[in-house]
């Protein structure tokens, strides 16, 4: 008598693979993953950004000379002192004029470069890279090149050499404030450093403009050139232009590196940050007054930025409106 072995065939219900169970413990927790990736950044942000801000706010209400642990409370005296200080107020006024000049100039140059590069049919990437490369250069390095090579006060400087071809005498670009030739040095350096970055922003915005708008304008009889630029291109760039102007405005009030390297041995042409640097870290080391000036400058930047955004309608969404 033969015997047969009966094999157990799994049913269809048991044959199906059971779903994987979620991993338990800290390593399988979404919260742990979140803090693992963002924790180091938040710690650095708190230590190097927020802690100095609150520490500066605290110092601004104390008499803090040669110490960062003051014990004499002076209230708003530091703010009154900075608002009545001729050097600090003069720096604010001077750089308000500078911002009123450098912001529209950089905006116009960046937009012009974007329009030219966007219309190219060959080597577009090459020219886009060439104009963008200066943004990778340090402000310190560019300032030294401008100071020691291009705008050197000796006759071997590039600009003095070119002017010498036309019989113009050597110009001391960074020595004498009358006439203020140093503004030409600073403005040209900043234009070279910044225009390429904002050009990329404008190119991105230009490529998002629907081509159908230009076709409809051509059918209606609009001529390509100034008419299409004024009535189609520029309105479509309203939101991008607003953002660029806001960024340029903030950057103008935060100018420091090029001025410190070009005008470090002078007492004129100083921006607000340079005045605060000498006030807090110079011979007087008045940390309380320097902190108060920094907060005054912060409030001014925020106020001007919000006003500019309100005037230009930042955040309305539709650029065509």
């Amino acid at each position: 008598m033969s015997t047969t072995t009966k094999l157990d065939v799994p049913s269809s219900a048991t044959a199906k693979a059971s779903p994987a169970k979620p991993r338990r413990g800290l390593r399988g927790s979404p919260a742990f993953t979140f803090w693992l990736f963002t924790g180091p950044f938040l710690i650095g942000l708190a230590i190097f950004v927020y802690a100095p801000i609150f520490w500066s706010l605290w110092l601004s209400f104390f008499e803090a000379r040669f110490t960062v642990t003051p014990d004499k409370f002076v209230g708003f005296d530091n703010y009154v002192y900075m608002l009545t200080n001729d050097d600090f107020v003069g720096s604010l006024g001077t750089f308000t004029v500078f911002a009123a000049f450098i912001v529209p100039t950089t905006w116009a140059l960046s937009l012009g470069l974007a329009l030219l590069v966007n219309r190219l049919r060959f080597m577009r990437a090459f020219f886009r890279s060439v104009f963008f490369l200066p943004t990778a250069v340090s402000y310190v390095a560019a300032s030294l090149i401008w100071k020691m090579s291009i705008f050197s006060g000796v006759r071997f400087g590039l600009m003095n050499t070119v002017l010498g071809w036309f019989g113009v005498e050597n110009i001391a670009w960074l020595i004498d404030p009358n006439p203020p030739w140093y503004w030409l040095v600073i403005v040209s350096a900043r234009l070279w450093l910044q225009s390429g970055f904002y050009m990329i922003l404008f190119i991105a915005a230009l490529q998002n403009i629907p081509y159908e708008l230009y076709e409809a304008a051509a059918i209606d009889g609009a001529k390509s050139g100034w008419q299409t630029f004024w009535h189609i291109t520029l309105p479509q760039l309203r939101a991008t232009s607003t953002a660029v102007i806001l960024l340029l405005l903030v950057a103008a009030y935060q100018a420091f590196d090029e001025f410190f390297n070009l005008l470090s041995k002078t007492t004129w042409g100083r921006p607000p940050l340079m005045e605060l640097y000498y006030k807090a870290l110079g011979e007087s080391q008045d940390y309380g007054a320097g902190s108060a000036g920094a907060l005054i400058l912060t409030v001014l930047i925020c106020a001007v930025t919000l006003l500019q955004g309100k005037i230009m309608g930042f955040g309305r969404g539709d650029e065509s409106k």
Side-chain angles (χ1 to χ4, degrees), residues 14-47:
T14 59
K16 294 182 180 179
S18 59
K21 297 181 180 179
R23 299 178 62 180
R24 296 182 179 180
L26 290 178
R27 298 184 62 182
S29 173
F32 174 78
T33 304
F34 171 80
W35 289 111
L36 179 65
F37 283 96
T38 63
F41 171 76
L42 294 176
I43 293 174
L45 191 66
I47 295 176

PDB file of all heavy atoms in Angstrom, residues 14-47:
ATOM      1  N   THR A  14      -3.279  33.875   1.721  1.00  0.00           N
ATOM      2  CA  THR A  14      -1.997  33.840   2.427  1.00  0.00           C
ATOM      3  C   THR A  14      -0.824  34.019   1.493  1.00  0.00           C
ATOM      4  O   THR A  14       0.286  34.302   1.922  1.00  0.00           O
ATOM      5  CB  THR A  14      -1.870  32.499   3.162  1.00  0.00           C
ATOM      6  OG1 THR A  14      -1.951  31.440   2.199  1.00  0.00           O
ATOM      7  CG2 THR A  14      -2.977  32.348   4.175  1.00  0.00           C
ATOM      8  N   ALA A  15      -1.056  33.800   0.163  1.00  0.00           N
ATOM      9  CA  ALA A  15       0.049  33.935  -0.782  1.00  0.00           C
ATOM     10  C   ALA A  15       0.455  35.385  -0.970  1.00  0.00           C
ATOM     11  O   ALA A  15       1.579  35.684  -1.334  1.00  0.00           O
ATOM     12  CB  ALA A  15      -0.342  33.311  -2.122  1.00  0.00           C
ATOM     13  N   LYS A  16      -0.480  36.244  -0.780  1.00  0.00           N
ATOM     14  CA  LYS A  16      -0.178  37.662  -0.958  1.00  0.00           C
ATOM     15  C   LYS A  16       0.803  38.111   0.109  1.00  0.00           C
ATOM     16  O   LYS A  16       0.675  37.758   1.278  1.00  0.00           O
ATOM     17  CB  LYS A  16      -1.451  38.489  -0.882  1.00  0.00           C
ATOM     18  CG  LYS A  16      -2.401  38.218  -2.039  1.00  0.00           C
ATOM     19  CD  LYS A  16      -3.628  39.110  -1.919  1.00  0.00           C
ATOM     20  CE  LYS A  16      -4.583  38.864  -3.067  1.00  0.00           C
ATOM     21  NZ  LYS A  16      -5.803  39.707  -2.962  1.00  0.00           N
ATOM     22  N   ALA A  17       1.751  38.883  -0.345  1.00  0.00           N
ATOM     23  CA  ALA A  17       2.766  39.383   0.599  1.00  0.00           C
ATOM     24  C   ALA A  17       2.118  40.384   1.536  1.00  0.00           C
ATOM     25  O   ALA A  17       1.369  41.269   1.117  1.00  0.00           O
ATOM     26  CB  ALA A  17       3.920  40.029  -0.160  1.00  0.00           C
ATOM     27  N   SER A  18       2.410  40.195   2.772  1.00  0.00           N
ATOM     28  CA  SER A  18       1.881  41.132   3.771  1.00  0.00           C
ATOM     29  C   SER A  18       2.584  42.467   3.646  1.00  0.00           C
ATOM     30  O   SER A  18       3.774  42.526   3.336  1.00  0.00           O
ATOM     31  CB  SER A  18       2.096  40.560   5.174  1.00  0.00           C
ATOM     32  OG  SER A  18       3.470  40.342   5.408  1.00  0.00           O
ATOM     33  N   PRO A  19       1.831  43.567   3.817  1.00  0.00           N
ATOM     34  CA  PRO A  19       2.458  44.895   3.683  1.00  0.00           C
ATOM     35  C   PRO A  19       3.562  45.082   4.703  1.00  0.00           C
ATOM     36  O   PRO A  19       3.490  44.591   5.827  1.00  0.00           O
ATOM     37  CB  PRO A  19       1.289  45.858   3.936  1.00  0.00           C
ATOM     38  CG  PRO A  19       0.285  45.068   4.687  1.00  0.00           C
ATOM     39  CD  PRO A  19       0.424  43.660   4.202  1.00  0.00           C
ATOM     40  N   ALA A  20       4.615  45.844   4.246  1.00  0.00           N
ATOM     41  CA  ALA A  20       5.750  46.076   5.132  1.00  0.00           C
ATOM     42  C   ALA A  20       5.321  46.955   6.296  1.00  0.00           C
ATOM     43  O   ALA A  20       4.609  47.956   6.122  1.00  0.00           O
ATOM     44  CB  ALA A  20       6.886  46.757   4.351  1.00  0.00           C
ATOM     45  N   LYS A  21       5.730  46.557   7.431  1.00  0.00           N
ATOM     46  CA  LYS A  21       5.392  47.324   8.615  1.00  0.00           C
ATOM     47  C   LYS A  21       6.302  48.545   8.732  1.00  0.00           C
ATOM     48  O   LYS A  21       7.489  48.469   8.408  1.00  0.00           O
ATOM     49  CB  LYS A  21       5.534  46.462   9.863  1.00  0.00           C
ATOM     50  CG  LYS A  21       4.574  45.275   9.892  1.00  0.00           C
ATOM     51  CD  LYS A  21       4.759  44.481  11.173  1.00  0.00           C
ATOM     52  CE  LYS A  21       3.792  43.297  11.214  1.00  0.00           C
ATOM     53  NZ  LYS A  21       3.973  42.513  12.446  1.00  0.00           N
ATOM     54  N   PRO A  22       5.755  49.674   9.114  1.00  0.00           N
ATOM     55  CA  PRO A  22       6.605  50.861   9.270  1.00  0.00           C
ATOM     56  C   PRO A  22       7.647  50.640  10.352  1.00  0.00           C
ATOM     57  O   PRO A  22       7.404  49.994  11.359  1.00  0.00           O
ATOM     58  CB  PRO A  22       5.597  51.955   9.663  1.00  0.00           C
ATOM     59  CG  PRO A  22       4.433  51.228  10.242  1.00  0.00           C
ATOM     60  CD  PRO A  22       4.364  49.919   9.502  1.00  0.00           C
ATOM     61  N   ARG A  23       8.812  51.196  10.077  1.00  0.00           N
ATOM     62  CA  ARG A  23       9.895  51.052  11.033  1.00  0.00           C
ATOM     63  C   ARG A  23       9.588  51.862  12.283  1.00  0.00           C
ATOM     64  O   ARG A  23       9.126  52.996  12.203  1.00  0.00           O
ATOM     65  CB  ARG A  23      11.209  51.545  10.407  1.00  0.00           C
ATOM     66  CG  ARG A  23      11.615  50.753   9.178  1.00  0.00           C
ATOM     67  CD  ARG A  23      12.881  51.288   8.570  1.00  0.00           C
ATOM     68  NE  ARG A  23      13.986  51.163   9.513  1.00  0.00           N
ATOM     69  CZ  ARG A  23      15.229  51.567   9.242  1.00  0.00           C
ATOM     70  NH1 ARG A  23      15.495  52.115   8.071  1.00  0.00           N
ATOM     71  NH2 ARG A  23      16.185  51.427  10.131  1.00  0.00           N
ATOM     72  N   ARG A  24       9.841  51.248  13.378  1.00  0.00           N
ATOM     73  CA  ARG A  24       9.585  51.912  14.640  1.00  0.00           C
ATOM     74  C   ARG A  24      10.896  52.442  15.218  1.00  0.00           C
ATOM     75  O   ARG A  24      11.985  52.076  14.789  1.00  0.00           O
ATOM     76  CB  ARG A  24       8.922  50.956  15.623  1.00  0.00           C
ATOM     77  CG  ARG A  24       7.539  50.486  15.163  1.00  0.00           C
ATOM     78  CD  ARG A  24       6.910  49.586  16.203  1.00  0.00           C
ATOM     79  NE  ARG A  24       5.573  49.151  15.763  1.00  0.00           N
ATOM     80  CZ  ARG A  24       4.802  48.353  16.489  1.00  0.00           C
ATOM     81  NH1 ARG A  24       5.237  47.887  17.652  1.00  0.00           N
ATOM     82  NH2 ARG A  24       3.610  48.015  16.023  1.00  0.00           N
ATOM     83  N   GLY A  25      10.751  53.304  16.177  1.00  0.00           N
ATOM     84  CA  GLY A  25      11.933  53.891  16.790  1.00  0.00           C
ATOM     85  C   GLY A  25      12.234  55.249  16.185  1.00  0.00           C
ATOM     86  O   GLY A  25      11.540  55.746  15.283  1.00  0.00           O
ATOM     87  N   LEU A  26      13.301  55.878  16.647  1.00  0.00           N
ATOM     88  CA  LEU A  26      13.631  57.226  16.201  1.00  0.00           C
ATOM     89  C   LEU A  26      14.008  57.259  14.726  1.00  0.00           C
ATOM     90  O   LEU A  26      13.660  58.186  13.999  1.00  0.00           O
ATOM     91  CB  LEU A  26      14.777  57.774  17.052  1.00  0.00           C
ATOM     92  CG  LEU A  26      14.444  58.099  18.509  1.00  0.00           C
ATOM     93  CD1 LEU A  26      15.681  58.580  19.236  1.00  0.00           C
ATOM     94  CD2 LEU A  26      13.326  59.140  18.591  1.00  0.00           C
ATOM     95  N   ARG A  27      14.740  56.252  14.248  1.00  0.00           N
ATOM     96  CA  ARG A  27      15.224  56.285  12.877  1.00  0.00           C
ATOM     97  C   ARG A  27      14.093  56.168  11.867  1.00  0.00           C
ATOM     98  O   ARG A  27      14.240  56.544  10.714  1.00  0.00           O
ATOM     99  CB  ARG A  27      16.230  55.168  12.660  1.00  0.00           C
ATOM    100  CG  ARG A  27      17.475  55.308  13.540  1.00  0.00           C
ATOM    101  CD  ARG A  27      18.499  54.243  13.222  1.00  0.00           C
ATOM    102  NE  ARG A  27      18.963  54.374  11.846  1.00  0.00           N
ATOM    103  CZ  ARG A  27      19.835  53.534  11.294  1.00  0.00           C
ATOM    104  NH1 ARG A  27      20.302  52.511  11.996  1.00  0.00           N
ATOM    105  NH2 ARG A  27      20.224  53.710  10.048  1.00  0.00           N
ATOM    106  N   GLY A  28      12.962  55.620  12.257  1.00  0.00           N
ATOM    107  CA  GLY A  28      11.837  55.519  11.355  1.00  0.00           C
ATOM    108  C   GLY A  28      10.807  56.609  11.555  1.00  0.00           C
ATOM    109  O   GLY A  28       9.736  56.566  10.950  1.00  0.00           O
ATOM    110  N   SER A  29      11.085  57.575  12.384  1.00  0.00           N
ATOM    111  CA  SER A  29      10.137  58.642  12.688  1.00  0.00           C
ATOM    112  C   SER A  29      10.312  59.811  11.729  1.00  0.00           C
ATOM    113  O   SER A  29      11.435  60.280  11.509  1.00  0.00           O
ATOM    114  CB  SER A  29      10.339  59.115  14.132  1.00  0.00           C
ATOM    115  OG  SER A  29       9.557  60.256  14.402  1.00  0.00           O
ATOM    116  N   PRO A  30       9.222  60.314  11.134  1.00  0.00           N
ATOM    117  CA  PRO A  30       9.335  61.500  10.269  1.00  0.00           C
ATOM    118  C   PRO A  30       9.870  62.726  11.016  1.00  0.00           C
ATOM    119  O   PRO A  30      10.599  63.535  10.439  1.00  0.00           O
ATOM    120  CB  PRO A  30       7.901  61.715   9.781  1.00  0.00           C
ATOM    121  CG  PRO A  30       7.236  60.394   9.942  1.00  0.00           C
ATOM    122  CD  PRO A  30       7.863  59.766  11.142  1.00  0.00           C
ATOM    123  N   ALA A  31       9.497  62.852  12.282  1.00  0.00           N
ATOM    124  CA  ALA A  31       9.997  63.984  13.059  1.00  0.00           C
ATOM    125  C   ALA A  31      11.508  63.923  13.219  1.00  0.00           C
ATOM    126  O   ALA A  31      12.209  64.945  13.134  1.00  0.00           O
ATOM    127  CB  ALA A  31       9.312  64.022  14.429  1.00  0.00           C
ATOM    128  N   PHE A  32      12.016  62.696  13.448  1.00  0.00           N
ATOM    129  CA  PHE A  32      13.469  62.546  13.578  1.00  0.00           C
ATOM    130  C   PHE A  32      14.174  62.905  12.273  1.00  0.00           C
ATOM    131  O   PHE A  32      15.217  63.557  12.266  1.00  0.00           O
ATOM    132  CB  PHE A  32      13.800  61.106  13.978  1.00  0.00           C
ATOM    133  CG  PHE A  32      15.275  60.822  14.000  1.00  0.00           C
ATOM    134  CD1 PHE A  32      16.057  61.232  15.062  1.00  0.00           C
ATOM    135  CD2 PHE A  32      15.865  60.132  12.951  1.00  0.00           C
ATOM    136  CE1 PHE A  32      17.419  60.976  15.072  1.00  0.00           C
ATOM    137  CE2 PHE A  32      17.217  59.866  12.963  1.00  0.00           C
ATOM    138  CZ  PHE A  32      17.999  60.290  14.027  1.00  0.00           C
ATOM    139  N   THR A  33      13.612  62.475  11.139  1.00  0.00           N
ATOM    140  CA  THR A  33      14.201  62.808   9.840  1.00  0.00           C
ATOM    141  C   THR A  33      14.198  64.312   9.601  1.00  0.00           C
ATOM    142  O   THR A  33      15.180  64.882   9.091  1.00  0.00           O
ATOM    143  CB  THR A  33      13.432  62.096   8.721  1.00  0.00           C
ATOM    144  OG1 THR A  33      13.410  60.687   8.979  1.00  0.00           O
ATOM    145  CG2 THR A  33      14.073  62.346   7.373  1.00  0.00           C
ATOM    146  N   PHE A  34      13.098  64.959   9.976  1.00  0.00           N
ATOM    147  CA  PHE A  34      13.002  66.410   9.800  1.00  0.00           C
ATOM    148  C   PHE A  34      14.085  67.135  10.592  1.00  0.00           C
ATOM    149  O   PHE A  34      14.816  67.981  10.059  1.00  0.00           O
ATOM    150  CB  PHE A  34      11.609  66.882  10.226  1.00  0.00           C
ATOM    151  CG  PHE A  34      11.481  68.378  10.288  1.00  0.00           C
ATOM    152  CD1 PHE A  34      11.285  69.113   9.138  1.00  0.00           C
ATOM    153  CD2 PHE A  34      11.557  69.054  11.511  1.00  0.00           C
ATOM    154  CE1 PHE A  34      11.176  70.496   9.192  1.00  0.00           C
ATOM    155  CE2 PHE A  34      11.441  70.423  11.569  1.00  0.00           C
ATOM    156  CZ  PHE A  34      11.251  71.148  10.406  1.00  0.00           C
ATOM    157  N   TRP A  35      14.203  66.820  11.883  1.00  0.00           N
ATOM    158  CA  TRP A  35      15.187  67.502  12.717  1.00  0.00           C
ATOM    159  C   TRP A  35      16.614  67.113  12.348  1.00  0.00           C
ATOM    160  O   TRP A  35      17.549  67.891  12.562  1.00  0.00           O
ATOM    161  CB  TRP A  35      14.927  67.203  14.188  1.00  0.00           C
ATOM    162  CG  TRP A  35      13.702  67.873  14.705  1.00  0.00           C
ATOM    163  CD1 TRP A  35      12.529  67.295  15.084  1.00  0.00           C
ATOM    164  CD2 TRP A  35      13.519  69.285  14.880  1.00  0.00           C
ATOM    165  NE1 TRP A  35      11.618  68.234  15.485  1.00  0.00           N
ATOM    166  CE2 TRP A  35      12.205  69.474  15.372  1.00  0.00           C
ATOM    167  CE3 TRP A  35      14.326  70.391  14.669  1.00  0.00           C
ATOM    168  CZ2 TRP A  35      11.691  70.731  15.661  1.00  0.00           C
ATOM    169  CZ3 TRP A  35      13.821  71.652  14.944  1.00  0.00           C
ATOM    170  CH2 TRP A  35      12.515  71.812  15.433  1.00  0.00           C
ATOM    171  N   LEU A  36      16.798  65.919  11.786  1.00  0.00           N
ATOM    172  CA  LEU A  36      18.133  65.497  11.369  1.00  0.00           C
ATOM    173  C   LEU A  36      18.659  66.378  10.248  1.00  0.00           C
ATOM    174  O   LEU A  36      19.847  66.722  10.210  1.00  0.00           O
ATOM    175  CB  LEU A  36      18.093  64.030  10.915  1.00  0.00           C
ATOM    176  CG  LEU A  36      19.426  63.437  10.424  1.00  0.00           C
ATOM    177  CD1 LEU A  36      20.432  63.391  11.555  1.00  0.00           C
ATOM    178  CD2 LEU A  36      19.201  62.050   9.826  1.00  0.00           C
ATOM    179  N   PHE A  37      17.775  66.765   9.332  1.00  0.00           N
ATOM    180  CA  PHE A  37      18.201  67.567   8.191  1.00  0.00           C
ATOM    181  C   PHE A  37      18.167  69.071   8.486  1.00  0.00           C
ATOM    182  O   PHE A  37      19.006  69.817   7.987  1.00  0.00           O
ATOM    183  CB  PHE A  37      17.326  67.254   6.968  1.00  0.00           C
ATOM    184  CG  PHE A  37      17.669  65.963   6.295  1.00  0.00           C
ATOM    185  CD1 PHE A  37      16.978  64.799   6.594  1.00  0.00           C
ATOM    186  CD2 PHE A  37      18.691  65.899   5.368  1.00  0.00           C
ATOM    187  CE1 PHE A  37      17.299  63.603   5.987  1.00  0.00           C
ATOM    188  CE2 PHE A  37      19.022  64.698   4.753  1.00  0.00           C
ATOM    189  CZ  PHE A  37      18.325  63.548   5.063  1.00  0.00           C
ATOM    190  N   THR A  38      17.192  69.513   9.242  1.00  0.00           N
ATOM    191  CA  THR A  38      17.056  70.956   9.490  1.00  0.00           C
ATOM    192  C   THR A  38      17.704  71.408  10.788  1.00  0.00           C
ATOM    193  O   THR A  38      17.935  72.604  10.963  1.00  0.00           O
ATOM    194  CB  THR A  38      15.563  71.332   9.526  1.00  0.00           C
ATOM    195  OG1 THR A  38      14.916  70.660  10.628  1.00  0.00           O
ATOM    196  CG2 THR A  38      14.879  70.961   8.222  1.00  0.00           C
ATOM    197  N   GLY A  39      17.977  70.477  11.689  1.00  0.00           N
ATOM    198  CA  GLY A  39      18.549  70.853  12.977  1.00  0.00           C
ATOM    199  C   GLY A  39      19.850  71.622  12.890  1.00  0.00           C
ATOM    200  O   GLY A  39      19.993  72.707  13.478  1.00  0.00           O
ATOM    201  N   PRO A  40      20.862  71.101  12.153  1.00  0.00           N
ATOM    202  CA  PRO A  40      22.127  71.849  12.065  1.00  0.00           C
ATOM    203  C   PRO A  40      21.955  73.249  11.489  1.00  0.00           C
ATOM    204  O   PRO A  40      22.588  74.210  11.949  1.00  0.00           O
ATOM    205  CB  PRO A  40      22.979  70.965  11.149  1.00  0.00           C
ATOM    206  CG  PRO A  40      22.417  69.594  11.323  1.00  0.00           C
ATOM    207  CD  PRO A  40      20.948  69.785  11.526  1.00  0.00           C
ATOM    208  N   PHE A  41      21.093  73.371  10.470  1.00  0.00           N
ATOM    209  CA  PHE A  41      20.851  74.688   9.888  1.00  0.00           C
ATOM    210  C   PHE A  41      20.184  75.627  10.892  1.00  0.00           C
ATOM    211  O   PHE A  41      20.566  76.805  11.019  1.00  0.00           O
ATOM    212  CB  PHE A  41      19.973  74.543   8.648  1.00  0.00           C
ATOM    213  CG  PHE A  41      19.480  75.848   8.097  1.00  0.00           C
ATOM    214  CD1 PHE A  41      20.318  76.681   7.384  1.00  0.00           C
ATOM    215  CD2 PHE A  41      18.167  76.248   8.314  1.00  0.00           C
ATOM    216  CE1 PHE A  41      19.858  77.891   6.885  1.00  0.00           C
ATOM    217  CE2 PHE A  41      17.704  77.443   7.820  1.00  0.00           C
ATOM    218  CZ  PHE A  41      18.556  78.273   7.100  1.00  0.00           C
ATOM    219  N   LEU A  42      19.184  75.140  11.618  1.00  0.00           N
ATOM    220  CA  LEU A  42      18.492  75.975  12.589  1.00  0.00           C
ATOM    221  C   LEU A  42      19.409  76.374  13.737  1.00  0.00           C
ATOM    222  O   LEU A  42      19.336  77.505  14.240  1.00  0.00           O
ATOM    223  CB  LEU A  42      17.261  75.236  13.125  1.00  0.00           C
ATOM    224  CG  LEU A  42      16.144  74.961  12.101  1.00  0.00           C
ATOM    225  CD1 LEU A  42      15.039  74.151  12.741  1.00  0.00           C
ATOM    226  CD2 LEU A  42      15.598  76.270  11.558  1.00  0.00           C
ATOM    227  N   ILE A  43      20.276  75.461  14.155  1.00  0.00           N
ATOM    228  CA  ILE A  43      21.225  75.791  15.220  1.00  0.00           C
ATOM    229  C   ILE A  43      22.188  76.883  14.762  1.00  0.00           C
ATOM    230  O   ILE A  43      22.451  77.859  15.481  1.00  0.00           O
ATOM    231  CB  ILE A  43      21.987  74.528  15.657  1.00  0.00           C
ATOM    232  CG1 ILE A  43      21.042  73.540  16.337  1.00  0.00           C
ATOM    233  CG2 ILE A  43      23.141  74.892  16.596  1.00  0.00           C
ATOM    234  CD1 ILE A  43      21.680  72.219  16.668  1.00  0.00           C
ATOM    235  N   GLY A  44      22.719  76.725  13.550  1.00  0.00           N
ATOM    236  CA  GLY A  44      23.600  77.764  13.022  1.00  0.00           C
ATOM    237  C   GLY A  44      22.893  79.088  12.839  1.00  0.00           C
ATOM    238  O   GLY A  44      23.461  80.161  13.102  1.00  0.00           O
ATOM    239  N   LEU A  45      21.632  79.031  12.392  1.00  0.00           N
ATOM    240  CA  LEU A  45      20.853  80.257  12.213  1.00  0.00           C
ATOM    241  C   LEU A  45      20.623  80.960  13.543  1.00  0.00           C
ATOM    242  O   LEU A  45      20.724  82.192  13.643  1.00  0.00           O
ATOM    243  CB  LEU A  45      19.519  79.918  11.555  1.00  0.00           C
ATOM    244  CG  LEU A  45      18.674  81.081  11.039  1.00  0.00           C
ATOM    245  CD1 LEU A  45      19.362  81.773   9.877  1.00  0.00           C
ATOM    246  CD2 LEU A  45      17.300  80.582  10.604  1.00  0.00           C
ATOM    247  N   ALA A  46      20.331  80.177  14.582  1.00  0.00           N
ATOM    248  CA  ALA A  46      20.088  80.773  15.895  1.00  0.00           C
ATOM    249  C   ALA A  46      21.355  81.367  16.489  1.00  0.00           C
ATOM    250  O   ALA A  46      21.331  82.459  17.079  1.00  0.00           O
ATOM    251  CB  ALA A  46      19.510  79.722  16.837  1.00  0.00           C
ATOM    252  N   ILE A  47      22.488  80.671  16.307  1.00  0.00           N
ATOM    253  CA  ILE A  47      23.738  81.125  16.925  1.00  0.00           C
ATOM    254  C   ILE A  47      24.330  82.316  16.185  1.00  0.00           C
ATOM    255  O   ILE A  47      24.766  83.305  16.810  1.00  0.00           O
ATOM    256  CB  ILE A  47      24.751  79.967  16.994  1.00  0.00           C
ATOM    257  CG1 ILE A  47      24.240  78.872  17.932  1.00  0.00           C
ATOM    258  CG2 ILE A  47      26.121  80.470  17.457  1.00  0.00           C
ATOM    259  CD1 ILE A  47      25.132  77.649  17.968  1.00  0.00           C
TER     260      ILE A  47
END
